[in-house]
mmCIF file of all heavy atoms in Angstrom:
data_model
loop_
_atom_site.group_PDB
_atom_site.id
_atom_site.type_symbol
_atom_site.label_atom_id
_atom_site.label_comp_id
_atom_site.label_asym_id
_atom_site.label_seq_id
_atom_site.Cartn_x
_atom_site.Cartn_y
_atom_site.Cartn_z
ATOM 1 N N LEU A 149 28.847 -12.198 41.425
ATOM 2 C CA LEU A 149 28.350 -11.154 40.521
ATOM 3 C C LEU A 149 29.398 -10.748 39.483
ATOM 4 O O LEU A 149 29.106 -10.660 38.281
ATOM 5 C CB LEU A 149 27.938 -9.942 41.372
ATOM 6 C CG LEU A 149 27.481 -8.698 40.632
ATOM 7 C CD1 LEU A 149 26.230 -8.979 39.823
ATOM 8 C CD2 LEU A 149 27.252 -7.559 41.618
ATOM 9 N N PHE A 150 30.628 -10.505 39.930
ATOM 10 C CA PHE A 150 31.635 -10.014 38.979
ATOM 11 C C PHE A 150 32.136 -11.128 38.061
ATOM 12 O O PHE A 150 32.521 -10.850 36.919
ATOM 13 C CB PHE A 150 32.780 -9.315 39.715
ATOM 14 C CG PHE A 150 32.403 -7.947 40.261
ATOM 15 C CD1 PHE A 150 33.308 -7.211 41.015
ATOM 16 C CD2 PHE A 150 31.151 -7.387 40.025
ATOM 17 C CE1 PHE A 150 32.973 -5.953 41.521
ATOM 18 C CE2 PHE A 150 30.803 -6.132 40.533
ATOM 19 C CZ PHE A 150 31.717 -5.413 41.280
ATOM 20 N N ILE A 153 29.571 -10.934 35.393
ATOM 21 C CA ILE A 153 29.829 -9.801 34.492
ATOM 22 C C ILE A 153 30.990 -10.154 33.555
ATOM 23 O O ILE A 153 30.908 -9.924 32.334
ATOM 24 C CB ILE A 153 30.117 -8.517 35.305
ATOM 25 C CG1 ILE A 153 28.812 -7.996 35.932
ATOM 26 C CG2 ILE A 153 30.765 -7.446 34.429
ATOM 27 C CD1 ILE A 153 28.959 -6.760 36.797
ATOM 28 N N ILE A 158 25.840 -10.921 32.834
ATOM 29 C CA ILE A 158 25.167 -9.733 33.373
ATOM 30 C C ILE A 158 25.784 -8.542 32.660
ATOM 31 O O ILE A 158 27.020 -8.431 32.580
ATOM 32 C CB ILE A 158 25.371 -9.638 34.907
ATOM 33 C CG1 ILE A 158 24.657 -10.801 35.601
ATOM 34 C CG2 ILE A 158 24.904 -8.288 35.447
ATOM 35 C CD1 ILE A 158 24.852 -10.850 37.097
ATOM 36 N N ALA A 160 27.219 -4.882 31.652
ATOM 37 C CA ALA A 160 27.950 -3.810 32.342
ATOM 38 C C ALA A 160 28.437 -2.840 31.270
ATOM 39 O O ALA A 160 28.562 -3.208 30.100
ATOM 40 C CB ALA A 160 29.124 -4.384 33.123
ATOM 41 N N PHE A 172 34.874 -1.625 33.956
ATOM 42 C CA PHE A 172 33.521 -1.165 33.644
ATOM 43 C C PHE A 172 33.098 -0.114 34.652
ATOM 44 O O PHE A 172 33.711 0.044 35.717
ATOM 45 C CB PHE A 172 32.537 -2.351 33.611
ATOM 46 C CG PHE A 172 32.549 -3.236 34.833
ATOM 47 C CD1 PHE A 172 31.751 -2.971 35.931
ATOM 48 C CD2 PHE A 172 33.376 -4.352 34.880
ATOM 49 C CE1 PHE A 172 31.767 -3.788 37.047
ATOM 50 C CE2 PHE A 172 33.403 -5.188 35.996
ATOM 51 C CZ PHE A 172 32.593 -4.904 37.088
ATOM 52 N N ARG A 173 32.019 0.597 34.334
ATOM 53 C CA ARG A 173 31.568 1.683 35.207
ATOM 54 C C ARG A 173 30.805 1.113 36.400
ATOM 55 O O ARG A 173 29.985 0.197 36.242
ATOM 56 C CB ARG A 173 30.683 2.669 34.435
ATOM 57 C CG ARG A 173 31.467 3.373 33.361
ATOM 58 C CD ARG A 173 30.790 4.587 32.763
ATOM 59 N NE ARG A 173 31.530 4.978 31.563
ATOM 60 C CZ ARG A 173 32.681 5.653 31.569
ATOM 61 N NH1 ARG A 173 33.198 6.070 32.714
ATOM 62 N NH2 ARG A 173 33.300 5.933 30.444
ATOM 63 N N ASP A 174 31.090 1.712 37.572
ATOM 64 C CA ASP A 174 30.403 1.306 38.793
ATOM 65 C C ASP A 174 28.928 1.700 38.691
ATOM 66 O O ASP A 174 28.587 2.795 38.229
ATOM 67 C CB ASP A 174 31.052 1.983 40.007
ATOM 68 C CG ASP A 174 30.633 1.359 41.327
ATOM 69 O OD1 ASP A 174 29.430 1.454 41.676
ATOM 70 O OD2 ASP A 174 31.492 0.797 42.019
ATOM 71 N N ILE A 175 28.041 0.823 39.141
ATOM 72 C CA ILE A 175 26.603 1.060 39.038
ATOM 73 C C ILE A 175 26.125 2.112 40.047
ATOM 74 O O ILE A 175 25.054 2.700 39.871
ATOM 75 C CB ILE A 175 25.851 -0.286 39.222
ATOM 76 C CG1 ILE A 175 24.535 -0.287 38.490
ATOM 77 C CG2 ILE A 175 25.689 -0.645 40.680
ATOM 78 C CD1 ILE A 175 23.882 -1.660 38.379
ATOM 79 N N GLN A 176 26.939 2.346 41.084
ATOM 80 C CA GLN A 176 26.624 3.375 42.098
ATOM 81 C C GLN A 176 27.794 4.347 42.186
ATOM 82 O O GLN A 176 28.565 4.315 43.161
ATOM 83 C CB GLN A 176 26.397 2.728 43.463
ATOM 84 C CG GLN A 176 25.187 1.818 43.515
ATOM 85 C CD GLN A 176 25.113 1.036 44.824
ATOM 86 O OE1 GLN A 176 26.092 0.464 45.279
ATOM 87 N NE2 GLN A 176 23.954 1.018 45.424
ATOM 88 N N HIS A 182 33.864 6.766 37.837
ATOM 89 C CA HIS A 182 34.024 5.700 38.837
ATOM 90 C C HIS A 182 34.016 4.376 38.096
ATOM 91 O O HIS A 182 32.971 3.886 37.667
ATOM 92 C CB HIS A 182 32.897 5.759 39.880
ATOM 93 C CG HIS A 182 33.088 4.796 41.016
ATOM 94 N ND1 HIS A 182 32.313 4.823 42.155
ATOM 95 C CD2 HIS A 182 33.964 3.767 41.204
ATOM 96 C CE1 HIS A 182 32.710 3.868 42.997
ATOM 97 N NE2 HIS A 182 33.694 3.210 42.431
ATOM 98 N N LEU A 184 35.518 0.238 37.808
ATOM 99 C CA LEU A 184 35.990 -0.928 38.540
ATOM 100 C C LEU A 184 36.874 -1.740 37.603
ATOM 101 O O LEU A 184 36.471 -2.016 36.467
ATOM 102 C CB LEU A 184 34.811 -1.788 39.010
ATOM 103 C CG LEU A 184 33.802 -1.101 39.934
ATOM 104 C CD1 LEU A 184 32.594 -2.009 40.162
ATOM 105 C CD2 LEU A 184 34.441 -0.726 41.273
ATOM 106 N N ASN A 230 38.977 -2.387 48.599
ATOM 107 C CA ASN A 230 38.563 -2.778 49.941
ATOM 108 C C ASN A 230 38.802 -4.272 50.110
ATOM 109 O O ASN A 230 38.498 -5.056 49.208
ATOM 110 C CB ASN A 230 37.082 -2.442 50.153
ATOM 111 C CG ASN A 230 36.813 -0.951 50.054
ATOM 112 O OD1 ASN A 230 37.582 -0.144 50.553
ATOM 113 N ND2 ASN A 230 35.726 -0.581 49.385
ATOM 114 N N GLY A 236 34.794 -2.591 54.054
ATOM 115 C CA GLY A 236 33.824 -2.057 53.103
ATOM 116 C C GLY A 236 33.672 -2.865 51.834
ATOM 117 O O GLY A 236 33.007 -2.416 50.897
ATOM 118 N N GLN A 237 34.296 -4.056 51.766
ATOM 119 C CA GLN A 237 34.146 -4.874 50.549
ATOM 120 C C GLN A 237 32.775 -5.537 50.562
ATOM 121 O O GLN A 237 32.462 -6.300 51.489
ATOM 122 C CB GLN A 237 35.248 -5.940 50.475
ATOM 123 C CG GLN A 237 35.209 -6.726 49.163
ATOM 124 C CD GLN A 237 36.351 -7.736 49.030
ATOM 125 O OE1 GLN A 237 37.147 -7.929 49.951
ATOM 126 N NE2 GLN A 237 36.404 -8.381 47.870
ATOM 127 N N SER A 238 31.974 -5.251 49.537
ATOM 128 C CA SER A 238 30.638 -5.842 49.461
ATOM 129 C C SER A 238 30.546 -6.904 48.375
ATOM 130 O O SER A 238 29.663 -7.765 48.424
ATOM 131 C CB SER A 238 29.588 -4.749 49.211
ATOM 132 O OG SER A 238 29.859 -4.072 48.012
ATOM 133 N N VAL A 239 31.423 -6.847 47.382
ATOM 134 C CA VAL A 239 31.472 -7.887 46.337
ATOM 135 C C VAL A 239 32.797 -8.625 46.508
ATOM 136 O O VAL A 239 33.871 -8.023 46.392
ATOM 137 C CB VAL A 239 31.366 -7.269 44.926
ATOM 138 C CG1 VAL A 239 31.460 -8.366 43.859
ATOM 139 C CG2 VAL A 239 30.079 -6.473 44.769
ATOM 140 N N HIS A 243 38.425 -6.115 43.115
ATOM 141 C CA HIS A 243 38.198 -4.994 42.201
ATOM 142 C C HIS A 243 38.917 -3.763 42.716
ATOM 143 O O HIS A 243 38.943 -3.512 43.916
ATOM 144 C CB HIS A 243 36.702 -4.689 42.017
ATOM 145 C CG HIS A 243 35.930 -4.588 43.298
ATOM 146 N ND1 HIS A 243 35.564 -5.693 44.028
ATOM 147 C CD2 HIS A 243 35.462 -3.516 43.987
ATOM 148 C CE1 HIS A 243 34.889 -5.322 45.110
ATOM 149 N NE2 HIS A 243 34.829 -3.993 45.116
ATOM 150 N N HIS A 245 38.706 0.191 42.597
ATOM 151 C CA HIS A 245 37.916 1.367 42.244
ATOM 152 C C HIS A 245 38.876 2.412 41.671
ATOM 153 O O HIS A 245 39.930 2.673 42.261
ATOM 154 C CB HIS A 245 37.262 1.977 43.488
ATOM 155 C CG HIS A 245 36.280 1.101 44.190
ATOM 156 N ND1 HIS A 245 34.911 1.235 44.015
ATOM 157 C CD2 HIS A 245 36.439 0.097 45.087
ATOM 158 C CE1 HIS A 245 34.287 0.349 44.794
ATOM 159 N NE2 HIS A 245 35.188 -0.344 45.451
HETATM 160 P P1 DGP B 10 32.996 -2.698 47.296
HETATM 161 O O1 DGP B 10 31.971 -2.147 48.223
HETATM 162 O O2 DGP B 10 34.376 -2.119 47.511
HETATM 163 O O3 DGP B 10 32.992 -4.205 47.302
HETATM 164 O O4 DGP B 10 32.547 -2.227 45.863
HETATM 165 C C1 DGP B 10 31.594 -2.896 45.099
HETATM 166 C C2 DGP B 10 31.126 -1.939 44.046
HETATM 167 O O5 DGP B 10 30.442 -2.682 43.064
HETATM 168 C C3 DGP B 10 30.151 -0.865 44.539
HETATM 169 O O6 DGP B 10 30.754 0.425 44.379
HETATM 170 C C4 DGP B 10 28.935 -1.012 43.663
HETATM 171 C C5 DGP B 10 29.411 -1.880 42.528
HETATM 172 N N1 DGP B 10 28.422 -2.784 41.992
HETATM 173 C C6 DGP B 10 27.626 -3.637 42.706
HETATM 174 N N2 DGP B 10 26.849 -4.341 41.882
HETATM 175 C C7 DGP B 10 27.149 -3.931 40.609
HETATM 176 C C8 DGP B 10 26.668 -4.310 39.322
HETATM 177 O O7 DGP B 10 25.801 -5.176 39.151
HETATM 178 N N3 DGP B 10 27.200 -3.659 38.261
HETATM 179 C C9 DGP B 10 28.173 -2.698 38.403
HETATM 180 N N4 DGP B 10 28.626 -2.124 37.289
HETATM 181 N N5 DGP B 10 28.653 -2.335 39.599
HETATM 182 C C10 DGP B 10 28.146 -2.954 40.699
#
Side-chain angles (χ1 to χ4, degrees):
L149 176 63
F150 286 177
I153 287 178
I158 294 177
F172 52 88
R173 295 194 192 282
D174 194 295
I175 208 168
Q176 295 172 313
H182 187 170
L184 300 172
N230 298 319
Q237 185 176 5
S238 59
V239 178
H243 49 284
H245 297 260

